[in-house]
Structures are given as C-alpha cells and as structure tokens.
Amino acid sequence: MTQTEKLKTVKKDLRSIDIEGSLFSGQCFRWDYLRNGKQIYFGVIDDNIFIIKKAKQTSYTITTSKNFSHDEAFHEFMNNYFCLDIDPNELFPVEFSERYPGIWKLIKPYLGLKILRQNAFETLITFMCAQGLGMKIIRRQISYLAKEYGEQYTVPLEGKPFIYYGFPSPETLAGTNPESLRLCTNNNCIRAKNIIDAAKSVASGVLDLECLKDPEMPLETARKRLCAHSGIGYKIADCILLFGLHRFSAFPIDTHVRQYLASWFSVGDALQTLTQKNYLFLQDQALRLLKPEFAGFAGHILFHSWRKEIKHLTTY
DNA sequence: CTCCAGGACACTT
DNA sequence: AAGTGTCATGGA
C-alpha cells in the first residue's frame, strides 16, 4: 500500500540534544540520514515520518507526515521522545567528575546524548536481532524486516519522492514463518523462529509490554518476564528495558561495557568470560559507580564515548 | 583461514 | 547453582 501524505514543518530548538549521537549510538537502528553531507536525518516513529533538518547552529526544522493537533502537542511529543524531562546534569553522581576527572573530560561532550523513548515492540524485535552481531548487520536486518513486512509510505524529501517503511506489527510478524523471515534475520532460522514466537506472545497478550513499563513493577520482575522468551537473555532483556520500556536503571553489559568497566573503573576482568554470575556482579558494581536510577542512561553515554573516543568506531 | 560482532542455551560438574 | 562448550552467520 502506498500513500502520499502532506508534510508539516515545525521549528524546534534542540540545542541541548546531541541528535546524531542519540540517533546513531546503537540504541535504535531505524533512523537514517542523507549521504550528501547535509545534516538531514529521517526516521519513523509510530508510523509517523520525521525529517530532522539542521537549520542553524541550534535550531532544527522538523517535518512530519502526520499532523499534530497543534504545535504544543508536537513539542510535547518531541520532548517525550528525546527525553528532555531528564536533566543531563542529574545523570551522574555529583562526586563522579572529581573521582574520575580524566573520564569526565572524555564523556562531557556526550552529555547531550539522549535515551530515546522508543516503541516497545520495535525495540523488542530489534534487540532480538542484535544477538552476537555487529551493528551494521543489525541495522540491515531491521531494514529488511521493515521493507518486507512493514507498511510502505512515500513522502517528498528534498523535492524527490522518498520511500519509507513502517515497522511491522506484532500480528504481521506473528503470522509469518521462519523460512520466510530468515531472509531478514541474517539467514538465522532459530532467530527467525524466536522472533515469531515473541511476536505471537505480544499479539496474543501473553507478553504485555505496556505493563513492563510500570515503575511499580520491580526491574527484576520485568527482566524475568522478558527472559522467559527464547532468544532473550539478560543482556538483550536489559537493552529492551532501557531503550524500549523507559527503564533508565537497566544496565546492559556487552563486550564494550565490559571493556570500559575494566579499563576506566578497574571493575572485573576483561578476559573473564561473561557468565550470568559475572554479569550480575558487573552490574552491581556499575550501580555503585553510577546513580542506580539512571545507571543505564549514564551507561549508554559511557558506552558511546568508549566506542567513539577510545575504539574510534565509525560504524553504527 | 581466523577472528570478531552490543549472546543465548544446553550440557556437565 | 556455577562453569564450559556449542551454536549460528556474514564480514573484515
């Protein structure tokens, strides 16, 4: 199905946000940018197409395919998506900058990095695709997934029609089969099956993602619910909690996190294998270094800084 | 050919 | 409960 929609443009001052870092730090794989040097980013949030164009130093013009009722509603939406209600100055403990001046100097330029309040189902599937793979391949999988199973939209971008794909619904993914879906999961049939099973759980209501957002539910309980599904371990579950369920205390630990914990904070041993016990130990140590309520948020800033400043990774 | 990429899981102790 | 080997796939 193709639909052409009219675009509406709103100006917004996003000076406090590191847009590029937020969109391309590995918390989402659906945003893209025009590869012509211009700072134009585009992506889909809940079937609404967003085009973010840098206008001046601090202001951006944002174009959407679906209209908001008024500008205030638009701003409210953006503030929520980009987490502007969370003060970056509150993310780290007050004593952090004095205890780790060298690290603080490195991460300071990245304090504008935001955790995005993304769609829960999209994040669930995205990070199920992330198991043991590089970001480039993860991105490709998600791209294929949307292209194959998502709804198609055409909107004008820079004067030319541009084709976007929405993220497939739980029902759509639940209705496919592993042999078809494996084309979108790096040829991995097991992963395809796991994704279909998870989509079925969400579609049938067995897995209620919304209730996992409820702060009243302990983080451990929410993680346990996610881990009950095949293909989701602690790490993936924590990613889903942090990036898709707005749980800023969830602290996912991967190879990069392990590296910076060892190198920057002398926590654990980078050579030690990441067993469940070790995972929980490292997580506990991280909660001591950081503010427990924002451990994951701050951790993502550290993660991004580590990848950029130390490992010099340009792929995302 | 080897190693790595934002791991998960079954199978021994 | 905790540790260890295996699985799975494409890209560098």
Side-chain angles (χ1 to χ4, degrees), chain A residues 81-133:
Chain A
Y81 185 72
F82 280 105
C83 242
L84 294 187
D85 52 315
I86 307 291
D87 182 355
N89 298 312
E90 297 293 322
L91 291 176
F92 289 84
V94 283
E95 69 275 13
F96 188 92
S97 58
E98 291 175 14
R99 269 187 81 180
Y100 308 100
I103 301 166
W104 184 250
K105 195 177 174 185
L106 280 176
I107 67 172
K108 211 174 175 184
Y110 297 100
L111 288 177
L113 184 69
K114 302 295 183 182
I115 295 293
L116 306 175
R117 286 197 176 91
Q118 302 182 84
N119 176 275
F121 179 68
E122 188 174 319
T123 310
L124 169 73
I125 303 302
T126 297
F127 280 93
M128 288 186 77
C129 288
Q131 182 200 49
L133 296 176

Side-chain angles (χ1 to χ4, degrees), chain A residues 219-220 223 234 238 249-253 261 267 277-289 295:
Chain A
L219 193 63
E220 297 302 318
R223 180 162 69 180
Y234 280 170
D238 283 333
S249 54
F251 190 90
I253 296 171
L261 282 177
V267 169
K277 186 189 174 188
N278 199 5
Y279 187 97
L280 294 175
F281 169 76
L282 293 177
Q283 208 163 50
D284 185 59
Q285 294 299 306
L287 289 176
R288 293 168 192 272
L289 291 168

Side-chain angles (χ1 to χ4, degrees), chain A residues 34-152:
Chain A
L34 281 189
R35 301 171 196 266
N36 61 0
K38 296 181 187 174
Q39 295 193 53
I40 301 178
Y41 312 104
F42 50 91
V44 189
I45 308 173
D46 299 331
D47 292 335
N48 194 357
I49 295 148
F50 282 71
I51 300 167
I52 302 180
K53 198 181 299 187
K54 193 161 192 173
K56 291 177 189 169
Q57 278 301 334
T58 59
S59 89
Y60 292 80
T61 53
I62 300 169
T63 308
T64 61
S65 57
K66 288 185 181 174
N67 285 349
F68 288 85
S69 56
H70 41 58
D71 286 357
E72 207 163 297
F74 169 79
H75 287 125
E76 196 177 319
F77 182 89
M78 294 299 286
N79 289 346
N80 180 61
Y81 185 72
F82 280 105
C83 242
L84 294 187
D85 52 315
I86 307 291
D87 182 355
N89 298 312
E90 297 293 322
L91 291 176
F92 289 84
V94 283
E95 69 275 13
F96 188 92
S97 58
E98 291 175 14
R99 269 187 81 180
Y100 308 100
I103 301 166
W104 184 250
K105 195 177 174 185
L106 280 176
I107 67 172
K108 211 174 175 184
Y110 297 100
L111 288 177
L113 184 69
K114 302 295 183 182
I115 295 293
L116 306 175
R117 286 197 176 91
Q118 302 182 84
N119 176 275
F121 179 68
E122 188 174 319
T123 310
L124 169 73
I125 303 302
T126 297
F127 280 93
M128 288 186 77
C129 288
Q131 182 200 49
L133 296 176
M135 289 197 185
K136 196 174 176 183
I137 294 180
I138 298 170
R139 178 174 290 275
R140 191 177 63 186
Q141 291 178 86
I142 303 304
S143 166
Y144 285 172
L145 210 57
K147 195 169 183 178
E148 195 62 33
Y149 296 98
E151 193 172 340
Q152 179 177 310

Side-chain angles (χ1 to χ4, degrees), chain A residues 203-216:
Chain A
S204 68
V206 171
L207 175 57
D208 184 353
L209 292 171
E210 287 308 310
C211 84
L212 298 189
K213 291 179 185 173
D214 186 354
E216 292 295 312

Side-chain angles (χ1 to χ4, degrees), chain A residues 297-311:
Chain A
F297 202 131
H300 191 59
I301 292 177
L302 290 165
F303 169 84
H304 187 55
S305 309
W306 174 262
R307 282 174 52 86
K308 294 274 279 187
E309 297 295 323
I310 307 298
K311 300 200 81 178

